Amino acid sequence: MTRPSTRAKKEGLGKNLQTVIAIEELCWGDTGLLLSWPGQGLGNAAIDAVATEEQLERFGDKWAAMAITEPEAGSDTASITTTAELDGEEWVLNGEKIFVTAAERSEAVVVWATIDKEAGRGGIKSFVVEKGSPGFKLDHLEKKLGIRASDTGTFVLNNCRIPKDNILGSSEVKKSKTTAGFKGVMKTFDNTRPHVAAQGLGIARAALEFTKEKLEEVGAEFDYRKSPNNIKSREKDYYLMEANLEAARLLTWRAAWMADNGKRNSMEASMAKAKAGRAGTLLTQKCCDLLGPVGFSCRDLAEKWMRDAKIIDIFEGTGQIQHLIVARQFLGLSSKELK
Amino acid sequence: MTRPSTRAKKEGLGKNLQTVIAIEELCWGDTGLLLSWPGQGLGNAAIDAVATEEQLERFGDKWAAMAITEPEAGSDTASITTTAELDGEEWVLNGEKIFVTAAERSEAVVVWATIDKEAGRGGIKSFVVEKGSPGFKLDHLEKKLGIRASDTGTFVLNNCRIPKDNILGSSEVKKSKTTAGFKGVMKTFDNTRPHVAAQGLGIARAALEFTKEKLEEVGAEFDYRKSPNNIKSREKDYYLMEANLEAARLLTWRAAWMADNGKRNSMEASMAKAKAGRAGTLLTQKCCDLLGPVGFSCRDLAEKWMRDAKIIDIFEGTGQIQHLIVARQFLGLSSKELK
Amino acid sequence: MIDFAMSKEQQMVRNEVAKLVKGVVVDTAHDMDEERHIPPAAIQKAWELGFSISMIPESYGGFGLKDSPVETALILEELACGDMAFALAVMLPSLFIHPIAEMGTEDQKEKYLPLYCGETYKPCTLAIQEPHVGSDPVDLETTAERQGKAYVLNGKKCFVPGAAKAGHMLVAAALDGENNLFIVSGDVPGMTVGAKEKNLGLYALDTFEVSFKDCAIPMENRLGGEDGCAYDQLIQKSRVAMAAIGTGVSRASLEFVKDYAKQRVQFGEPIVHRQSVAFMLAEMAYEVDAMRLMTWKAASRLEAGKDAARESYLAKLYTGEMAMKVTDYGVQVMGGHGYIRDYPVERYYRNGRGISILEGIATL
Amino acid sequence: MIDFAMSKEQQMVRNEVAKLVKGVVVDTAHDMDEERHIPPAAIQKAWELGFSISMIPESYGGFGLKDSPVETALILEELACGDMAFALAVMLPSLFIHPIAEMGTEDQKEKYLPLYCGETYKPCTLAIQEPHVGSDPVDLETTAERQGKAYVLNGKKCFVPGAAKAGHMLVAAALDGENNLFIVSGDVPGMTVGAKEKNLGLYALDTFEVSFKDCAIPMENRLGGEDGCAYDQLIQKSRVAMAAIGTGVSRASLEFVKDYAKQRVQFGEPIVHRQSVAFMLAEMAYEVDAMRLMTWKAASRLEAGKDAARESYLAKLYTGEMAMKVTDYGVQVMGGHGYIRDYPVERYYRNGRGISILEGIATL
């Protein structure tokens, strides 16, 4: 249900839309859990998207995490310094990867590394590194603000050796600055940004439903007829949150629907992620505020949703990066014109 | 009362603070009117700040407007193209100046022009051009969103000739990129930004008081004791507006107080302007919303305050420019590092 | 079935309106605003496209097409993207025609629809909003009281578009605590139409305060007869219509400043090269899309014959908030130029405030 | 007379606290949070600076200095800039000592102040907030009823700091509809202190739910005796104290990310070179200043002996909103690193939410 790319091919259109709806439901439960779901995640999405038949055979059923970020390369994915060098029949990888989701539970990790630093983006490739590969070590797991059910870790690659065939896509280095190869890897994100947005919808809806229930217990009334200025403050806050959630949901559905219908959706995917990330963050903060003591205590889940929701504004491209993507595409600007 | 710089010198400290308080009161009345007050405005502030004794004698009692902006030079004041060339005992000015406040009513205009385009900022000087000077023509007056009692106009300078002594400050061209001369002129704004912020306070307070009165007439109760989440939406909105207005006021007072106490306040002046401009804009919009039909009709003044308030977010440096100034100073960045 | 694509027919309708707007609105909107007047010829041209009467049965003078709230939402966005006052003026007769067609008795339809479904635009209108602070279209202060064979109306309405020239208007009033609509002839005694209102926005649109003092109207003029009408449904349609208009006004501001900001050079580069400007435009872009999607969702429910209380409420609430934000950003991006009435963003800003405030001034 | 300068004395006090924070808080705040525990030695060190008892007359064990709400606000901001949980723990006894000193009868002062104004930090506390949604410190559900020579308390409190170890606490309850405070001994029958609460923030601070079931306390334990106390004044002081703490937490986030953002290089430049980041920092900077000025204004009114109902309300409302916004920006500026507990902004974000929610957990 949550791994659309391979199955969608078989079952026809509409899978992206089905996926974002399913993800909202699952994250209404727990986002950390969803992220700890075998095979759910960027690693498998990348494999599904670009693996050869032979690679699909070898890795298709493995739970694969994705390792991009480095201590000095966050939003700036093009500046990664982990290297891969071909040595006979093996690639030798060296570097450090942080913020890897499902670092501990996964069976393999798709590691981004450069095979030619001079080539910039053109030299960046992704490699499937299976757990147990020599020189591949999970250094530590992070303690986080939220999504604590999910394990996030740091890997160190110290002369890590993997088979030559573990490279995803071609090993050819394109010398131009923005190559098809790098763009191909980045494209994975166009598909997954609506998924991340949907995670935000699930968290926000859970918080909102709980808040509504609790407010009704103490006399709040929700009547979609009355002028919003004559009602109680907490009631109007609720309506505004509901409207924002609905707006984020429709933007998310649209982006997924476009993917299902073969339309380029890079801008719309970023719109969804930008809106859902921000709306979810503000909405869960407000829910805690309206709930007062119930929103600050860990006895109920409102505080957890506030902690969880914040990640949607951050991972797989911060809100600022999403705005950059939207603005560049909407205005037709290059990354040099709008930095 | 509203022209502090010359008088403050005689009467001692506290004049900036007195001025911002007085401006708030006057703009509680009407900002357009304040801007049409003889001698109130940037032109006189510039003359007061840098004029020689002889010039003070000649222009001190003249109502002087300020002409900086050009069709292609708005926030980017350094790029002005109006030229001044010395021809014997006269300066000859050529160019077009827009958005000149009190264009029609003033008796003289302080015009910014470059005497050496190659020198960049170093070549920019200001000149007192009296009404009636040959080649100096008020082209037209603007129709505006708000502050309609104030006249805003466009001047065309076509071989406009003025006496050699009408230049304010030295005619020496400093070749460095950010010269003391240009900075001196820009410094005028450090002093006036809190004044502009205070205009915003006056408009916002008028709107807020009117709104409170009207809301009370239909049963709203304001009791500074009760938890803000249990009250009516319009009551909480009111409190939030009041708090934002108070925050903007205190930032404004602080900036003025610093000037009175000989402290460099460029950053704090921009903080006040940024906050007051934004808070006033949002607050007057919200007042109209809360007032419903009364906020949309011209029978009452709420709609006028909404139109007037918007100028505070724009003139004498937009909100974006103010954020730039604050950020550069707070972070210690040059204008090259943070564009 | 979730679908975000317009049908061919919907695209056609939208293109037709876009053509009209380009032809008779875009270049004249500024002058209409300045002169506080819309040329009747322009309105007549729009009338001839027949949107207001397409759903009216042919026997009453209409085209007998299926009523489509989604299509009407598309039309309203497009018209309002040209000019909000023009959009409201053009669609004005719908305020009277549509409720009669949907909720009127046979007699009422026969009597009133042919009057207004002809080839010439004839103003007829709807009076819902009341002029006091805190007024609420579902909590009316205007009352109707049964006296013998008449209903007697008392109360005050405001922002009634076209009231001065309207042959008839529907008036919302509470009868025994229930909201009802009454068909009122333009010359009925006890009704006073005030002078043209001056408002923050919509300078070009004629709106009026209308007062009723012991204004007696015949019993048969209660919309829907003795059963009354589905008043809440009218409110839902009115909310979605305003949401569509809010989307249009906001889009107009976005489109204008998008081009402006790409061309305006400051500090040696187009101002869109600055994140503060570019991010405002990005936010405007996705909020306009979100407004449209909210509108479409509510309109789709109405089109499917479902209750849209929630969706119409959220659509109006959201577009009301966002139209203000987007039109504010529009002015802000342009700086000083945004404050000058030579540029349309000034008008959008004033009109944008109307989306949340105005009630019952448009319908689907 | 409007004045924004700190007096020499105020500067001295602030510097002293800043030194303490640098010495015993900054490096340990993260571990205190992780271990959900504050080392008693650190608290004792702060206690020895004597802030909590400086205004208590020497005859009761204090220093007999003039009470200064402004000075206390400075202290609270500084402590909370180090760590909010630490600030609340250190100032905990004030919650009991100050109301007794200000509003207690002579007997109450004599009996209780010397117990807690010694050289050693001894916990005593205040129970105001109630655990239900919509709870309001001025609209209490906990009741006190007069029965013979006793007051009988019934109700539930939450977020009571230090309740488990407190020798005494003040409990807020409504007596005949009027809010009152009652002095309750830690071992009184009918009072139950629950397990340590787990909360969104303040992991290191011990807070508890406290229940009262027919809990009888002696008549003389009503604060202020038969006249009761100026309860609203306590609420005012409590609001301003929280505003000062909110300023401190926000400043901590601002200071941390200011340095981080100047050093963090992405896309070849420090991230502060981007307007989106720089403008967030600019907004954080002026909002922290605004929060502080709002706090100072309210504290000044209290210091002058004036009613500060309006100013204290606005200060808490504003700092509650802005502490959330500023600490959110703090996390956002740092991106993924902001989400990791190795950096303090994660803690500030959780604590920041407490400013608007928590009531009566601090006082001046």
Side-chain angles (χ1 to χ4, degrees), chain B residues 71-72 74-76 99 142-143 145-146 148 278 285 289 292-293 296 298-299 307 310 313-314 320, chain C residues 34 130 198-200 203 209 264 266-267 274 324 328 332 335-336 339-341 346 349 353 356-357:
Chain B
E72 301 305 323
S75 297
D76 182 11
F99 301 162
E142 304 290 353
K143 295 189 174 183
L145 171 61
R148 293 184 182 170
R278 202 68 206 131
Q285 290 172 2
D289 195 20
F296 200 69
C298 299
R299 201 178 294 175
R307 291 185 289 102
K310 185 68 202 160
D313 216 1
I314 294 177
Q320 285 64 43
Chain C
E34 284 287 353
E130 299 176 347
K198 287 191 174 178
N199 296 317
L200 167 60
Y203 287 174
E209 191 165 278
R264 174 78 175 168
Q266 289 287 282
F267 301 105
R274 307 291 171 219
M324 191 71 261
D328 182 8
Q332 193 65 29
Y339 205 73
I340 300 296
R341 297 196 57 200
E346 182 268 351
Y349 184 67
R353 180 67 292 173
S356 69
I357 293 175

Side-chain angles (χ1 to χ4, degrees), chain B residues 29 38 68 83 103 114-115 124 140 146 150 168 208 213 225 311 318:
Chain B
I68 305 170
T83 54
T114 175
I115 56 173
I124 295 174
H140 68 273
S150 161
L168 292 173
L208 198 59
E213 201 182 301
R225 293 167 69 246
I311 196 64
T318 61

Side-chain angles (χ1 to χ4, degrees), chain A residues 187-264:
Chain A
K187 229 187 123 131
T188 310
F189 289 111
D190 290 356
N191 290 327
T192 56
R193 284 197 299 269
H195 299 187
V196 177
Q199 292 170 19
L201 302 178
I203 301 168
R205 200 184 91 212
L208 199 58
E209 288 180 5
F210 176 79
T211 302
K212 187 180 186 192
E213 199 183 302
K214 289 287 163 190
L215 291 178
E216 280 176 338
E217 280 175 24
V218 295
E221 281 174 28
F222 297 99
D223 177 350
Y224 295 103
R225 292 166 71 246
K226 295 194 173 169
S227 160
N229 287 335
N230 297 340
I231 57 181
K232 281 274 187 91
S233 153
R234 57 197 185 191
E235 291 157 3
K236 178 160 182 190
D237 282 338
Y238 174 83
Y239 289 134
L240 285 171
M241 290 192 285
E242 192 182 9
N244 268 287
L245 176 57
E246 184 90 336
R249 183 181 293 121
L250 290 171
L251 288 172
T252 304
W253 285 5
R254 178 184 60 169
W257 173 89
M258 289 177 77
D260 285 335
N261 286 275
K263 295 173 198 287
R264 188 171 144 68

Side-chain angles (χ1 to χ4, degrees), chain A residues 69-77 79 98-99 121 140 142-148 152 214-215 218 234 278 281-282 284-286 288-299 303-304 306-311 313-314 318-321 339, chain D residues 34 36 84 129-135 156 158-159 197-203 209 263-269 274 276-277 280 321 324-325 328-329 331-333 335-342 346-347 349-351 353-358:
Chain A
T69 310
E70 299 177 358
E72 300 306 324
S75 297
D76 183 11
T77 43
S79 73
I98 63 174
F99 300 161
R121 292 197 170 105
H140 67 274
E142 303 290 353
K143 293 186 177 186
K144 304 188 300 297
L145 172 60
I147 48 166
R148 291 184 182 170
T152 306
K214 289 287 163 190
L215 291 178
V218 295
R234 57 197 185 191
R278 201 69 208 131
T281 295
L282 295 176
T284 51
Q285 288 172 2
K286 175 63 82 176
C288 287
D289 197 19
L290 295 184
L291 291 166
V294 174
F296 200 68
S297 166
C298 300
R299 202 178 291 173
E303 63 89 28
K304 177 188 120 59
M306 176 178 144
R307 291 186 287 102
D308 286 355
K310 185 69 201 160
I311 195 64
D313 218 359
I314 295 177
T318 62
Q320 284 64 44
I321 295 294
K339 285 181 197 170
Chain D
E34 284 285 352
R36 296 174 179 260
M84 180 167 163
Q129 194 154 22
E130 298 177 349
H132 58 281
V133 174
S135 68
K156 227 179 223 180
C158 64
F159 304 144
E197 291 170 337
K198 287 190 174 177
N199 296 318
L200 167 60
L202 305 176
Y203 288 173
E209 190 166 281
Q263 281 153 26
R264 173 76 174 170
V265 172
Q266 290 285 282
F267 302 103
E269 285 179 73
R274 307 291 169 220
S276 62
V277 172
M280 275 199 271
E321 292 282 320
M324 190 71 261
K325 182 172 190 167
D328 183 9
Y329 278 12
V331 173
Q332 194 65 30
V333 164
H337 294 276
Y339 204 73
I340 300 295
R341 300 195 54 202
D342 292 350
E346 182 269 350
R347 191 168 78 248
Y349 184 65
R350 290 185 286 105
N351 292 346
R353 180 66 294 173
I355 304 304
S356 69
I357 294 175
L358 299 170

Side-chain angles (χ1 to χ4, degrees), chain C residues 104-112:
Chain C
T105 62
E106 264 318 301
D107 285 351
Q108 290 168 342
K109 289 186 208 174
E110 267 174 40
K111 181 166 178 191
Y112 297 106

Side-chain angles (χ1 to χ4, degrees), chain B residues 118-193:
Chain B
E118 303 291 302
R121 294 198 167 100
I124 295 174
K125 303 287 169 187
S126 49
F127 301 85
V128 182
V129 181
E130 294 190 72
K131 289 284 180 76
S133 300
F136 187 53
K137 184 176 160 248
L138 174 57
D139 188 70
H140 68 273
L141 295 176
E142 304 290 353
K143 295 189 174 183
K144 304 189 300 299
L145 171 61
I147 49 169
R148 293 184 182 170
S150 161
D151 54 311
T152 307
T154 292
F155 284 104
V156 173
L157 298 107
N158 188 5
N159 287 322
C160 165
R161 304 186 82 92
I162 55 171
K164 189 179 172 184
D165 290 344
N166 282 24
I167 187 168
L168 292 173
S170 149
S171 66
E172 196 189 332
V173 173
K174 303 256 170 62
K175 285 288 179 185
S176 88
K177 271 225 153 183
T178 51
T179 66
F182 186 76
K183 276 190 175 166
V185 187
M186 291 304 286
K187 232 185 117 118
T188 310
F189 289 110
D190 290 356
N191 290 329
T192 56
R193 281 198 301 271

